[in-house]
């Protein structure tokens, strides 16, 4: 049977460096942009959303008044405008928002 040779841990690895005597000063930095939900309230996105919501409300009012021809024209235009507005606002949001 072979004899097992043992090494002390301190002989293999050098001891850790002693901490310096000077203390580092604490520096507090505050950043509200990435963590604040208010940062999502971008005026451009809110404006685009408000315009689209306003057109949808006008469409519902015209439908209640019985002006079906005009509502039909609004529906044809909105079928194109809604996806374009949504995707452009989404691209704008990701292009300008800092994460």
């Amino acid at each position: 049977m072979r004899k097992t040779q043992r090494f002390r841990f301190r002989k293999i690895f050098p001891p850790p460096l002693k901490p310096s005597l000077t203390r580092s000063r604490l520096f507090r930095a505050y950043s509200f942009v990435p963590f604040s939900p208010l940062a999502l309230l971008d005026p451009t996105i809110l404006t685009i959303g408000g315009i689209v919501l306003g057109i949808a409300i006008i469409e519902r009012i015209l439908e209640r008044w019985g002006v079906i021809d005009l509502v039909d024209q609004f529906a044809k235009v909105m079928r194109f405008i809604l996806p374009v507005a949504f995707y452009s606002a989404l691209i704008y949001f990701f292009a300008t928002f800092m994460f």
Side-chain angles (χ1 to χ4, degrees), residues 55 59 70-85:
I55 292 173
E59 184 180 347
L70 196 55
V71 172
D72 208 23
Q73 293 297 323
F74 266 109
K76 286 179 184 175
V77 171
M78 292 302 285
R79 192 175 297 142
F80 174 74
I81 289 179
L82 279 176
V84 170

Side-chain angles (χ1 to χ4, degrees), residues 21-33:
L21 296 176
T22 59
R23 286 186 175 179
S24 61
R25 287 179 32 186
L26 292 177
F27 179 73
R28 294 184 184 183
Y30 297 100
S31 176
F32 295 105
V33 175

Side-chain angles (χ1 to χ4, degrees), residues 49-66:
I51 290 171
V52 170
L53 186 63
I55 292 173
I57 290 172
I58 290 171
E59 184 180 347
R60 293 296 173 207
I61 291 172
L62 290 174
E63 186 180 355
R64 284 187 185 176
W65 287 352

